Amino acid sequence: MNNSIKAVLISIGTLLFIIGWWGFIQGNLGWETEDYRFDRVVSLLGIVAGGLLIGSVIRQGSLIRIIELKGILRPFFDVFAAVIVGLIVGAAVMDLFKFDPWLAYSSLFKGAFGDKYGWADTAFNATPLVLTGLTFAIGVRAGLFNIGAQGQMMLGAIAAVGIGSIAMPPGIHHMVTIMVAMMVGALWSLPAAFLKAKRGVHEVISTIMLNFVALWLVRFLALKVFGDPNRAEKTVSVLESTQFSTIIPGADVTHVVWISILAALLVYVVLWHMPLGYAVRSTGLNLDATRYGGMNPNRAMNSAFVLGGMAAGLAGATQIIGRPPVFALYGDLSQIATLGFDGIAVALLGRNHPIGAIFGALFFGALNAGLPLMQIRAQVPLEMVRVIQGVIVIVVSMPELWRLLNIKSHALKLKAAFEKPQKA
Amino acid sequence: MNKTTQEPLLEARDIIKVYPDGTEALTDVTFKVYPGEVHGLLGENGAGKSTLTKIISGLLPLTSGQLLWKGKPADFKNPLDALNQGIGMVHQHFALVNPFTALENISLGQEGSNGLSSVDFDRIETRLKQIMVEGGLHAPLDIPIEKLPVGVQQRIEILKLLLRDVDLLILDEPTAVLTPQEADEMFVTLRKLKEAGKTIIFITHKLREVLEMTDQVTVLRRGHQAGTVWTKEVDSKDLANLMVGKEVLPSVKRGGAKIGKPVFKVNKLQVKSELGDIAVKELDFEIHEGEIFGIAGVEGNGQTELGEAIGGLRKWESGQVLLNDQILRQMNPRAIYEQGLAHIPEDRRRVGMVLDFSVRDNSILGLQSSEKFRGFMGRVNWGKVKRHAQELIEKFEVKTQSIKTPAKSLSGGNQQKLVVGRELSKDPLFILAAQPTRGLDIGATQYIRDLLVQLRDQGKAILLISAELDEIFQLADRVGVMYEGEFTGIYPTHELDRERIGLLMGGLQEAVEKS
C-alpha cells in the first residue's frame, strides 16, 4: 500500500471515528423510533469501523502485537478482553432496544454476587457446568471435538434417579450413586470412541447421534419408568440417604459442589501429572511424535472419551442428588436441558484447562444466577437476556474457537504462500 | 542434431538465485537448450535442480542473470505466463483433481474468463483425440483420475500441456513415481514427443536414464554448474564424477575403533511406502559393536522407509530385524526402545518432538512411563524430570531460556541436540540416526558428528542414514548405497571414492565392478 492511499484511509477512519463518537455522546441523531435506537448503534458502528480502519492501516497486525503478552498472564488477558468485549456488545444490543445496559449489568452482578444467596446461586449453577466443561476440555486436549457431554450427562442424571431410589446406608449410597452415574456416562462415550478408533468416524457425528438417542431414552425413562405416581411432571425423588445437604439454609447449593471442584483438580492431576495425561496431551498436539514416543494415540483418545464421559455422567448426577428441594428429574428435562452444550462454552472460556473450567463455570453460573434480578430491575425480558448471554458466549469463545479451527494457521499459510514468490 | 547452426530455444546466462533467507541456491548457471532436444538435469538432493526449473517455468524469479526464450529475454511473471509463452512443467506431485475425469481435468482453466460460460468439452475432446493420435499418447478421458494408475495420470498431465501447445516440457523426476514398466512406456512417450518436435528438460538422478534418453546434460552440484556436456561424448563415470565432485574428502577422525560382535541384523526386510509400492526390497545387513554403518543414496530410494520400519513407525511386509539377538517387534516403539534402540528420527520437528511441549516435557518423550521418572501413585515425578532436563541441557549444550520454554522456540540445532541428548539418555545398545545434521549450522553439525564418533568409540553400534556424502565419508566405517530399495553395494569406506559412490547412487553398480 502506498502512502497516499494510507493517508486517505486514515483520514476516513478518523472522520468515521469522530462522527461516531459525537453521535454517541449526543445520543440522538434524529433517527430514534419508539422502540429502537438506530442512532446509537450507527454511532457505535462508526466508532468501531473507524478504529478498525485506522488500526489496520497503521500497521497490519499491530493490534495483535500489543495483545501478545508473554507468559502465564496471556490466557487471563485474552479471556478478560473477550469477556469485556462480550459485555460491550451485549450493552449495545440492549441499548438498541432501549434498555438501560448499566442498570441491567449492575442488577446482574448484584444478583450473582450481591449477597451470600447470590454467591450460593452462582455456585449452584456452576456445579454441573464445571463437569461438562471438563468433558469438552479433556477432549480438546486429546485433539477431539467431543460434544457428547449432553447425552452422557442426561443418562448420568437418570441413572442417579434409578440408583437413588434403592435403599442403602447414607454415605455408601452417595458414593454408589455417583459411581454408577459416572460409569453410565463413560459407557455412553464408548460407542463414539470405538467408532473413532476402528472406523475413523468423526466424533462430532457420532456424539450428536448419541445425544439424540440419549435425549429420548431419558425422556422415556423419566416419564414411564421412574415417574412419580403422585406428581406427573417429575420422577420419583431420590432417597434421603443419597441427597446432599444444602450449605446455606434456604439456598439451592449443596455440598455436591465440592465434588465438582475435586473432579476438576483430579482431571488436572491426570492430565499434567500422569503418564496417561502426557499421552493425551501429546496426542492432541502431534500424532507422529506420540507414536514415536511409544504411546498409542488411539488409547489416549479412548481414555479422553471415557474420562469425559465420567465427568458428564457426574454432572447429570449432581442435578439430582444435589437439587433441593425436589431431588428428582423433571419430565421435560428442563433442569438439564442445555448443560452439556453450555459446557463447551465453559471449556472454551477456561481455555480447555480443568482449573480454567472452574472459572468459566463460575462466569456462566453467575450469568444464570443474576438473570432474575436483571429481569426484574432492568425490565429486560428473559428472551433478551438469553440473546445477550449468547452474544457474550460467542465473543468469549471466539479466540479459542479460532485457534481450535486452526483458522489462524491456515491464514498464515496462505499468506506465506502468496508472499514467498514476491519476496524472492 | 547440429550444434552449431541452430538457434537455441532456451538459453540461461549466468543465472544466480539467492533465497530471501540468504541461501544461495544457484550460482552462475549457463546452458543452451536446442529445439527438439532432450536436456537432462542431473544432480543430488539440494543441487538446485528444482530451483532452476522453477525459474524456467515462471514459479520463481531469478536474482540475477538472464533467461532467453526463443532468442528474446524472458521475464515470466507466473507459471501461467510461462505456459502461455510455451513452457509447461509436470511436477512430481500431479496437480489433478482426483474425482474429476481426465477430460474435466484437462479442461480446467479453459472455461473462459467470466466463469459462467459453459466449457466446450466437445471441442476439447476432439482436439485431445487428435493430439493423442499424433503423439501416440493414449489415456482414457472419461474415467475419474483416482481410478487410474500413476503412469496414466502422468500422461494426462502431459496431455494437459500439449493441449496448450507448449514447445518446452519440463518433467520433474518423471520416473520416480513409476514402476519399471511404466517408466519404459514413459520413455517411449518421450521419444515420440521428441519426434513431434517438442523440446524436453527432464530432472533425474538416475545415470542410466541420462545416458539412454538425453542429448545434452547439465550437471548441478550444490548450486554450481558442474558442467554441461553432450551425452554422446561422455560415459557414466564422467557423469558420476561431475555429480559428486572430486574434492578432497574432509579428514576422518578415527579413534581406537574396535569392531566387536554383531549387534544389529536385518534379514530380507521388505517395506512398503505410503503409495503401496515396495520401497525397501529384501534388504540384508548387519552392524557390529563399535561400528558406524552408513546408508548413502539419493533421497527417496527407500532410506526413509527403512528408518521408520526399524524405529517402529512403519509396518514391514516380511523379513526380520534383530537387536542383540532378539527379534524386534513391529510397530511398537516402546518395546523397541526397551530392547535398546535410540532413534534420532529424520524429521525432528514432526516426529522427534512435540513442538508445543516445553523442553522439560520433551526431555521425556518416549520415557514418560519409565520407572526412572515414576513418582507417588503412578504420577510423573516432575522433580526428577526437571533434573533430567537440566542435565541434558548442560551435557549437550542445548541453548534455551529455561526448561519451561516451548521446544518450538529453540533453534534447529538446539532442538536436535535436545533430541539426541534425550535418545542417548536411554543408554542404548544401538543408535539409529536418520539425517542427524540436516538443516543444522556448521557448529551444531560438527558437534553431533563428533558425538556419534565418540559413541562409536565407546562401542555402540550406529546406523547412520544420510543423504550428505561428506557425512558418510567422515563418519561411516562401512557404507551401503541404496538405490530403488536395494543396496547397489556395501563397501568399507576406504574402498570407496566419489566416482564409485556416484555410480552406485545412480544405480550403475556394473560400472563399479568393472573398474
Side-chain angles (χ1 to χ4, degrees):
Chain A
M1 233 183 322
N2 69 42
N3 284 333
S4 56
I5 300 177
K6 270 187 189 174
V8 171
L9 283 178
I10 287 189
S11 14
I12 295 174
T14 318
L15 209 65
L16 269 174
F17 192 83
I18 291 170
I19 295 173
W21 186 247
W22 178 78
F24 193 70
I25 299 291
Q26 292 288 306
N28 187 355
L29 295 177
W31 304 330
E32 197 164 330
T33 69
E34 199 140 307
D35 298 317
Y36 306 110
R37 270 184 182 148
F38 283 123
D39 48 351
R40 282 283 184 85
V41 175
V42 171
S43 318
L44 269 176
L45 282 178
I47 293 174
V48 172
L52 282 179
L53 208 56
I54 296 170
S56 60
V57 171
I58 288 176
R59 183 123 195 231
Q60 287 96 328
S62 64
L63 204 67
I64 296 165
R65 206 154 302 146
I66 295 167
I67 300 170
E68 222 161 76
L69 294 170
K70 286 256 158 80
I72 197 157
L73 281 176
R74 176 73 203 282
F76 288 99
F77 183 83
D78 276 6
V79 170
F80 185 71
V83 168
I84 295 292
V85 174
L87 291 176
I88 289 174
V89 174
V93 174
M94 280 193 269
D95 197 65
L96 173 66
F97 289 95
K98 284 192 160 178
F99 299 107
D100 185 344
W102 182 248
L103 180 64
Y105 281 141
S106 60
S107 326
L108 181 80
F109 189 78
K110 206 162 174 230
F113 303 111
D115 54 16
K116 63 178 180 180
Y117 294 105
W119 275 98
D121 214 16
T122 300
F124 171 77
N125 278 295
T127 304
L129 293 179
V130 174
L131 296 165
T132 50
L134 286 177
T135 307
F136 188 74
I138 299 167
V140 170
R141 290 290 168 184
L144 300 168
F145 205 96
N146 177 6
I147 54 172
Q150 185 72 16
Q152 294 150 14
M153 177 271 304
M154 285 184 165
L155 281 166
I158 202 72
V161 171
I163 300 298
S165 355
I166 301 166
M168 265 180 256
I172 292 176
H173 200 180
H174 287 120
M175 234 151 55
V176 171
T177 312
I178 285 173
M179 292 295 212
V180 171
M182 282 165 71
M183 265 170 53
V184 169
L187 272 178
W188 204 247
S189 73
L190 284 181
F194 179 81
L195 286 171
K196 171 101 183 170
K198 296 287 170 202
R199 283 277 166 267
V201 177
H202 198 278
E203 64 277 7
V204 168
I205 311 286
S206 54
T207 48
I208 284 180
M209 305 281 192
L210 287 166
N211 285 346
F212 187 75
V213 177
L215 169 68
W216 294 100
L217 185 61
V218 170
R219 290 199 78 153
F220 166 76
L221 289 172
L223 292 168
K224 305 285 181 199
V225 180
F226 299 113
D228 188 337
N230 303 317
R231 289 173 63 187
E233 83 281 12
K234 69 172 198 59
T235 65
V236 290
S237 296
V238 293
L239 299 175
E240 209 169 312
S241 54
T242 193
Q243 293 176 1
F244 276 80
S245 55
T246 53
I247 298 174
I248 305 164
D252 282 346
V253 68
T254 64
H255 287 287
V256 83
V257 68
W258 310 124
I259 295 194
S260 191
I261 292 170
L262 188 70
L265 293 175
L266 272 177
V267 168
Y268 169 74
V269 170
V270 169
L271 283 183
W272 272 273
H273 291 276
M274 294 280 197
L276 172 65
Y278 186 92
V280 166
R281 290 183 296 126
S282 164
T283 299
L285 292 168
N286 185 336
L287 286 177
D288 291 305
T290 306
R291 283 192 201 102
Y292 163 79
M295 296 169 274
N296 184 339
N298 275 341
R299 198 179 299 158
M301 285 186 208
N302 291 347
S303 310
F305 269 119
V306 168
L307 274 175
M310 285 163 71
L314 178 58
T318 64
Q319 292 310 286
I320 307 300
I321 57 180
R323 171 117 191 157
V326 291
F327 293 104
L329 185 62
Y330 285 97
D332 61 357
L333 309 183
S334 55
Q335 86 226 54
I336 55 171
T338 61
L339 292 179
F341 296 124
D342 294 346
I344 299 172
V346 167
L348 290 173
L349 186 57
R351 305 205 112 222
N352 302 313
H353 192 287
I355 308 302
I358 296 180
F359 289 104
L362 272 179
F363 177 76
F364 287 105
L367 282 184
N368 281 329
L371 272 188
L373 204 61
M374 180 170 167
Q375 213 181 334
I376 295 162
R377 294 224 312 199
Q379 300 292 313
V380 184
L382 181 69
E383 291 74 18
M384 195 67 197
V385 176
R386 293 280 178 212
V387 167
I388 291 156
Q389 235 179 354
V391 167
I392 293 176
V393 170
I394 289 170
V395 176
V396 159
S397 339
M398 206 88 88
E400 193 65 0
L401 262 182
W402 195 263
R403 197 185 64 78
L404 215 59
L405 299 176
N406 238 341
I407 292 168
K408 198 169 158 192
S409 73
H410 282 305
L412 286 179
K413 261 182 230 155
L414 271 180
K415 210 175 143 200
F418 280 115
E419 270 175 4
K420 230 181 222 163
Q422 285 163 9
K423 259 189 194 167
Chain B
M1 194 184 315
N2 195 319
K3 319 175 202 179
T4 45
T5 55
Q6 255 180 320
E7 277 293 306
L9 183 71
L10 178 84
E11 189 178 350
R13 284 186 189 158
D14 302 321
I15 287 186
I16 295 176
K17 173 71 193 175
V18 183
Y19 278 108
D21 63 355
T23 349
E24 208 165 301
L26 289 175
T27 314
D28 294 333
V29 176
T30 301
F31 63 91
K32 289 175 184 167
V33 182
Y34 295 94
E37 91 168 52
V38 176
H39 194 102
L41 269 183
L42 182 68
E44 287 183 74
N45 309 97
K49 294 170 296 185
S50 303
T51 306
L52 184 57
T53 49
K54 278 179 186 164
I55 289 172
I56 298 171
S57 64
L59 210 60
L60 284 176
L62 40 79
T63 310
S64 83
Q66 212 181 16
L67 200 63
L68 295 175
W69 172 241
K70 295 180 178 167
K72 276 172 267 166
D75 179 23
F76 303 126
K77 287 173 206 72
N78 50 46
L80 188 64
D81 191 16
L83 189 60
N84 288 337
Q85 298 191 43
I87 299 180
M89 180 157 174
V90 177
H91 293 268
Q92 232 185 77
H93 303 282
F94 307 142
L96 296 169
V97 184
N98 276 332
F100 279 18
T101 65
L103 183 60
E104 285 166 333
N105 265 293
I106 293 169
S107 310
L108 278 176
Q110 306 269 309
E111 305 92 343
S113 54
N114 63 10
L116 289 172
S117 53
S118 61
V119 186
D120 191 353
F121 281 118
D122 292 341
R123 186 185 57 81
I124 295 171
E125 194 172 354
T126 327
R127 177 88 188 92
L128 272 176
K129 290 216 164 115
Q130 199 185 334
I131 293 173
M132 287 200 278
V133 173
E134 283 168 10
L137 269 165
H138 291 284
L141 291 177
D142 50 358
I143 297 174
I145 291 292
E146 57 203 354
K147 295 195 177 149
L148 295 172
V150 183
V152 180
Q153 293 185 10
Q154 196 171 44
R155 249 176 275 154
I156 290 164
E157 279 279 28
I158 293 172
L159 280 173
K160 209 156 96 179
L161 297 180
L162 293 180
L163 182 77
R164 284 154 179 81
D165 257 335
V166 296
D167 302 308
L168 175 66
L169 286 116
I170 305 172
L171 308 173
D172 188 357
E173 301 221 10
T175 53
V177 290
L178 303 181
T179 63
Q181 294 89 325
E182 282 177 328
D184 289 343
E185 284 171 36
M186 177 73 209
F187 288 139
V188 175
T189 308
L190 286 186
R191 287 201 187 92
K192 286 222 171 109
L193 286 172
K194 191 182 162 181
E195 279 163 27
K198 303 286 178 195
T199 309
I200 295 159
I201 293 183
F202 97 95
I203 304 182
T204 185
H205 61 258
K206 295 177 184 164
L207 296 175
R208 191 179 286 118
E209 289 178 0
V210 173
L211 292 170
E212 206 175 308
M213 280 305 301
T214 62
D215 301 305
Q216 238 195 135
V217 54
T218 294
V219 187
L220 294 175
R221 189 168 71 236
R222 293 185 181 171
H224 292 265
Q225 186 175 11
T228 296
V229 291
W230 290 92
T231 316
K232 273 180 268 174
E233 296 166 5
V234 292
D235 64 10
S236 56
K237 275 180 207 159
D238 298 330
L239 287 177
N241 274 329
L242 283 173
M243 188 163 94
V244 294
K246 280 182 181 161
E247 301 115 39
V248 183
L249 297 173
S251 65
V252 186
K253 280 195 273 174
R254 290 191 185 275
K258 278 193 204 117
I259 307 270
K261 64 176 170 57
V263 174
F264 182 77
K265 276 183 210 155
V266 168
N267 288 337
K268 298 219 176 299
L269 190 70
Q270 188 124 300
V271 187
K272 278 188 179 171
S273 78
E274 262 100 39
L275 299 169
D277 55 327
I278 292 164
V280 178
K281 290 170 195 156
E282 304 216 332
L283 217 56
D284 279 312
F285 61 94
E286 57 180 33
I287 306 174
H288 303 78
E289 279 176 345
E291 179 186 44
I292 298 182
F293 182 75
I295 290 188
V298 177
E299 271 178 78
N301 278 299
Q303 301 98 314
T304 304
E305 286 82 359
L306 175 66
E308 286 178 355
I310 295 172
L313 301 174
R314 185 182 286 275
K315 210 171 114 220
W316 59 75
E317 301 302 314
S318 60
Q320 248 183 355
V321 183
L322 292 138
L323 178 54
N324 213 14
D325 292 328
Q326 279 177 298
I327 295 173
L328 223 55
R329 303 229 344 239
Q330 278 214 49
M331 292 289 286
N332 190 340
R334 198 153 138 197
I336 297 173
Y337 299 148
E338 275 159 19
Q339 282 173 260
L341 170 84
H343 181 189
I344 300 163
E346 190 178 315
D347 190 339
R348 60 178 161 274
R349 293 170 62 83
R350 187 173 61 82
V351 179
M353 50 175 38
V354 180
L355 285 175
D356 292 291
F357 271 7
S358 63
V359 170
R360 183 195 67 173
D361 289 7
N362 270 305
S363 76
I364 56 164
L365 184 64
L367 293 163
Q368 65 282 343
S369 304
S370 100
E371 285 300 325
K372 239 162 74 182
F373 303 114
R374 190 61 62 80
F376 178 62
M377 280 178 64
R379 287 175 49 195
V380 177
N381 187 333
W382 286 115
K384 280 187 192 163
V385 175
K386 195 175 148 188
R387 278 194 294 281
H388 167 71
Q390 263 154 356
E391 248 169 54
L392 289 189
I393 288 174
E394 278 160 34
K395 201 166 153 200
F396 296 94
E397 301 169 21
V398 183
K399 282 194 198 71
T400 171
Q401 276 186 325
S402 80
I403 57 167
K404 294 247 170 132
T405 310
K408 64 180 165 197
S409 27
L410 264 56
S411 72
N414 287 310
Q415 287 176 341
Q416 186 70 334
K417 285 179 186 171
L418 178 64
V419 171
V420 170
R422 180 193 66 214
E423 291 308 304
L424 297 183
S425 74
K426 291 174 181 168
D427 197 22
L429 290 166
F430 169 65
I431 299 156
L432 164 60
Q435 318 288 0
T437 60
R438 168 173 296 165
L440 303 189
D441 60 37
I442 299 171
T445 301
Q446 204 49 51
Y447 180 87
I448 285 175
R449 288 183 187 169
D450 288 347
L451 198 65
L452 287 173
V453 172
Q454 271 175 38
L455 288 161
R456 190 262 318 265
D457 294 346
Q458 286 165 22
K460 308 277 188 215
I462 300 173
L463 173 58
L464 170 71
I465 299 178
S466 180
E468 198 81 43
L469 276 186
D470 284 350
E471 188 160 276
I472 294 282
F473 276 116
Q474 216 181 31
L475 301 181
D477 299 298
R478 282 189 304 142
V479 183
V481 183
M482 263 182 111
Y483 176 78
E484 299 200 321
E486 289 171 301
F487 283 137
T488 39
I490 298 181
Y491 291 89
T493 314
H494 58 83
E495 284 181 20
L496 280 174
D497 53 24
R498 283 189 168 256
E499 178 185 303
R500 292 180 122 191
I501 212 167
L503 288 169
L504 293 169
M505 283 166 68
L508 291 176
Q509 61 268 42
E510 310 89 326
V512 178
E513 276 143 23
K514 268 185 275 166
S515 65

